[in-house]
Amino acid sequence: MTLLSPQRERGLMARMFVGPTVGMTIRRSLFFFMLFLAVVAPWLDDFAHVLPFPIYDPLRPDPFNPVSPPTAEHWFGTDTLGLDVFTRVLMATRVDFTLALIGVALGGGLGCLAGAWAAYRRGWVDMVALRIVEVLQSFPVLLLGLAMFAAFGSLEIFGPVDHGMAVLVLSISMVNFPLYLRQVRSVLLPLTEAEFVQAAKCAGLGAWGIVWHHFIPNARGQILALFPLTCAYAIQIIAGLSFIGLGIEPPNPEWGSMIKAGATLIVQGHWWVSVFPGAFIVLSVYSLTGFSARSETLVGPGGTSA
Amino acid sequence: MVLAVVLLAVVIIGFTITRSTGTPLYASLGVAVSEAIIEQRAEEMGLNEPIVVQFWTYLTHLLQGDLGVSRISRIPVAEDIALKLPATAEMVFFTLMVSFIWAIPLGVRAGLRPDGKLARLGEGMAQFGVSVPAFWLGLLFIFLLYFLPPRLPEPLGPLPSLFPPPLGRVGSGITPPEMVTGLYTVDALIAGDFRLAWHTLWHLILPAVTLSLTSGPPLFRVTRSAVSEAVSSPFVEAAYSYGLGRRTVLIRDVLRNASPPVLNLAAMTFGYLIGGGVLVEVVFSWPGIGSYAVWGMDNSDYDVVLGVVIIAAVIYVILYFIVDLIQFAMDPRLRD
């Protein structure tokens, strides 16, 4: 069997946007719309006069208007402090997307390198890598996050970076590292004997050179397919940890902590504080999974269950 | 052997993670105590020993079933976990039951008729279940099913809501059944109290449905692919060519051959949810190990967190191992 090193593909952007079905394309458009919101969120305030929706300062309370149901002035209502839920949900998009992206990129990137390295070296390196994967994956995701927060609880080692956010990102990467390692390794394992790898070896390319120039590009398809799914998963984990009060401190907008803030209100019938942030989680996860036709392979046995 | 190595690594990671913190003693004693008292307590708890010695102590205690003592309540963690684990196990067990009711039949149907209405319904539910955060879904259920249904005004007495308030395993003022297995439904049946059994079951439904909707999608999908694979395989064609009826072939060949991966996944789901249902436990005030871990976290009681993390991981790993063994025993092809 002759395996060739892949050529650079064209039209990647177009294929990213247009899915195999109409439904997929709609979901992807939805995602790009949310991404757009996340990017422009901090400047929305400057354009408040031209926007079709009312926008407020996400951190300035309005003591005269607490727990207001959705109205024309406050589309999603206000919470106990009188903060505008609509503005905060939009701002939170930015927070959640950014943290998910950084966490997945960090853990996934390292996982890819380690997976490719394990596939190239085989033998005991591969063995150790697989054991690490097994150990990391035997912790339930949220408990792993909990343990991370227990560990870094009082350590101020991240300097100017927000402490909770840093630990969140670390937890996300701890979860993603084994996912990517396993996937990349299993794709690349048969390549060790491939002719182009042998040729590269003969040409004098070093181990890291082969891993970087020949192995990683060959796993690109898998990595790209995994990426949106893991980001979606990461958003759920971030929201879940924030829901139990870990990560993003309350006055800052974040979907999970907003749901927590509304949890006590919901049994009194004030549903809007919790429902809208949750709906945005559902929308973002749903739109992100639209990038992958096969979503079942990703998330461990328990589903996300975050 | 591999199992032992993995378990040891789990404990080491858990331990280093939770012990690397600064001075957790302030958390239990408050900030307004003198250095001397802190020092004395640290000495008492062995916190001044080198970390390796601490780890050795923890490990040897762990092997004797001792997970340390909660710094807040002063109750041994192992005792607390033993008390709360049945609550979690009961919830997870009923979650699986609910999943078996919707995910497996829909999965079988979807495997047989990939373009049918039920297949699309199942895929829709799976999509929804994957996208929705379980804790939010739980809150939504509480709002829609507990708060929204109208109740009569106060003088007439509140009309009993269809669903119980989301406050734990039994309603307030109701004595839980005498502890035998720790599973309230089973205990109530053992005690012969059917009303109580029904009552505890009623309290289980919302958490179980919530968890099932979010953890069932993989079960649905695996069932679907296993069934569709079995249907299109040569042995099914052979069975048809013998002249066996549809129903016979479905049960004798298709379902039997499709069941191992499904049962495997069901067992893994069980193990995973023991520690993975944390948020749903919190939302429904379910007194399981998940809520216990969150309580420990809120109080910086790290032995509690560590204990729960280790127990959940150990249960998962052991289940994984057992599932492997069962597959090995069931499938002759794996034996060489």
Side-chain angles (χ1 to χ4, degrees):
Chain A
M1 187 172 65
T2 319
L3 284 166
L4 295 174
S5 211
Q7 302 290 311
R8 186 164 293 274
E9 293 155 76
R10 286 179 188 285
L12 195 67
M13 280 310 288
R15 278 190 299 125
M16 251 170 72
F17 196 71
V18 181
T21 61
V22 180
M24 289 276 206
T25 310
I26 294 175
R27 280 159 77 172
R28 291 177 186 193
S29 321
L30 180 64
F31 169 73
F32 284 114
F33 179 65
M34 295 189 75
L35 190 66
F36 171 73
L37 281 183
V39 172
V40 301
W43 295 284
L44 281 180
D45 205 20
D46 301 339
F47 296 95
H49 53 284
V50 289
L51 291 174
F53 44 79
I55 202 100
Y56 298 83
D57 183 342
L59 294 178
R60 205 178 62 212
D62 177 2
F64 301 108
N65 199 8
V67 207
S68 149
T71 56
E73 288 86 53
H74 297 280
W75 277 20
F76 290 176
T78 60
D79 66 7
T80 35
L81 297 173
L83 298 169
D84 180 55
V85 176
F86 181 74
T87 311
R88 288 168 59 76
V89 163
L90 288 192
M91 299 294 171
T93 313
R94 187 183 173 83
V95 175
D96 282 70
F97 277 21
T98 314
L99 290 182
L101 187 72
I102 298 175
V104 172
L106 190 66
L110 289 175
C112 287
L113 286 180
W117 185 247
Y120 180 73
R121 278 286 145 140
R122 301 203 173 178
W124 68 270
V125 178
D126 193 28
M127 237 275 292
V128 171
L130 280 186
R131 289 295 93 77
I132 292 176
V133 167
E134 267 173 35
V135 170
L136 281 181
Q137 291 202 325
S138 55
F139 291 104
V141 170
L142 277 169
L143 284 184
L144 188 69
L146 217 66
M148 293 287 286
F149 275 94
F152 294 105
S154 53
L155 292 179
E156 297 292 342
I157 53 172
F158 299 109
V161 185
D162 182 88
H163 184 77
M165 286 195 189
V167 183
L168 267 186
V169 165
L170 275 185
S171 313
I172 298 296
S173 31
M174 287 268 278
V175 173
N176 278 287
F177 178 77
L179 286 173
Y180 279 84
L181 198 163
R182 195 176 233 174
Q183 186 79 15
V184 167
R185 174 193 165 273
S186 72
V187 175
L188 295 182
L189 212 50
L191 287 193
T192 328
E193 306 298 323
E195 279 167 16
F196 69 86
V197 174
Q198 302 290 344
K201 229 186 254 181
C202 290
L205 195 57
W208 278 113
I210 292 177
V211 163
W212 186 252
H213 291 291
H214 293 285
F215 266 44
I216 299 279
N218 266 299
R220 200 173 55 194
Q222 256 72 23
I223 297 171
L224 282 182
L226 203 53
F227 190 67
L229 295 182
T230 42
C231 282
Y233 192 25
I235 288 176
Q236 289 206 342
I237 300 170
I238 293 171
L241 285 172
S242 302
F243 179 70
I244 43 178
L246 304 172
I248 317 282
E249 299 290 326
N252 296 313
E254 197 284 333
W255 290 327
S257 58
M258 289 173 72
I259 295 177
K260 178 191 166 79
T264 45
L265 294 173
I266 211 166
V267 282
Q268 300 161 25
H270 310 308
W271 50 274
W272 51 90
V273 184
S274 281
V275 166
F276 287 115
F280 265 68
I281 298 179
V282 176
L283 279 186
S284 58
V285 173
Y286 182 70
S287 63
L288 268 168
T289 47
F291 284 91
S292 170
R294 300 193 35 175
S295 43
E296 61 257 53
T297 46
L298 158 70
V299 191
T304 54
S305 65
Chain B
M1 186 49 209
V2 174
L3 181 74
V5 172
V6 171
L7 286 182
L8 185 66
V10 163
V11 177
I12 291 178
I13 291 181
F15 184 83
T16 35
I17 277 184
T18 47
R19 272 314 154 83
S20 48
T21 29
T23 48
L25 283 179
Y26 284 112
S28 58
L29 297 176
V31 196
V33 288
S34 72
E35 284 292 316
I37 294 178
I38 295 260
E39 196 52 36
Q40 186 199 342
R41 274 296 291 283
E43 194 66 46
E44 241 173 70
M45 298 170 73
L47 290 178
N48 290 341
E49 309 277 341
I51 187 107
V52 183
V53 176
Q54 282 189 43
F55 177 67
W56 181 249
T57 322
Y58 188 85
L59 189 65
T60 45
H61 284 188
L62 179 69
L63 291 177
Q64 296 159 17
D66 178 4
L67 289 166
V69 177
S70 162
R71 283 172 190 154
I72 307 297
S73 70
R74 299 301 197 100
I75 298 172
V77 174
E79 254 173 54
D80 263 347
I81 289 184
L83 207 66
K84 285 157 197 292
L85 193 56
T88 301
E90 192 178 30
M91 183 179 80
V92 173
F93 180 76
F94 277 93
T95 299
L96 274 189
M97 290 295 106
V98 176
S99 293
F100 278 143
I101 293 173
W102 75 268
I104 307 266
L106 280 181
V108 170
R109 185 71 185 175
L112 294 174
R113 295 242 177 108
D115 297 320
K117 276 205 182 97
L118 287 176
R120 259 182 285 157
L121 172 72
E123 181 55 28
M125 282 177 77
Q127 287 280 358
F128 176 74
V130 168
S131 311
V132 73
F135 58 96
W136 182 70
L137 187 63
L139 281 175
L140 212 59
F141 276 150
I142 290 173
F143 176 68
L144 293 177
L145 299 175
Y146 171 65
F147 178 78
L148 265 197
R151 271 167 282 181
L152 292 176
E154 206 48 65
L156 298 170
L159 183 75
S161 172
L162 190 57
F163 283 89
L167 293 170
R169 306 175 73 183
V170 289
S172 58
I174 291 184
T175 328
E178 199 181 328
M179 174 137 168
V180 185
T181 56
L183 311 176
Y184 279 7
T185 42
V186 179
D187 283 354
L189 283 181
I190 290 176
D193 189 342
F194 290 102
R195 268 185 65 103
L196 187 58
W198 182 244
H199 177 84
T200 51
L201 191 66
W202 210 224
H203 271 256
L204 265 166
I205 283 184
L206 279 188
V209 167
T210 307
L211 259 190
S212 165
L213 279 176
T214 51
S215 70
L219 268 176
F220 165 78
R221 287 176 167 151
V222 165
T223 312
R224 181 178 60 187
S225 63
V227 167
S228 77
E229 194 182 320
V231 165
S232 55
S233 56
F235 55 78
V236 168
E237 245 169 78
Y240 276 129
S241 65
Y242 287 151
L244 296 176
R246 277 191 66 87
R247 181 171 291 267
T248 324
V249 174
L250 179 67
I251 292 169
R252 203 190 72 121
D253 296 291
V254 175
L255 292 190
R256 223 180 92 190
N257 279 289
S259 57
V262 177
L263 293 180
N264 186 348
L265 184 65
M268 305 309 300
T269 308
F270 186 90
Y272 187 83
L273 284 181
I274 289 287
V278 178
L279 298 176
V280 173
E281 284 188 15
V282 171
V283 167
F284 288 100
S285 312
W286 198 257
I289 58 169
S291 317
Y292 184 52
V294 172
W295 174 84
M297 193 68 219
D298 285 345
N299 293 305
S300 306
D301 198 346
Y302 298 131
D303 269 1
V304 170
V305 179
L306 180 59
V308 172
V309 170
I310 287 179
I311 290 292
V314 164
I315 290 178
Y316 182 71
V317 172
I318 289 177
L319 228 84
Y320 194 92
F321 186 68
I322 293 175
V323 165
D324 259 9
L325 283 187
I326 292 177
Q327 289 228 301
F328 200 67
M330 269 171 57
D331 192 342
R333 283 169 301 183
L334 292 175
R335 262 175 238 158
D336 44 77

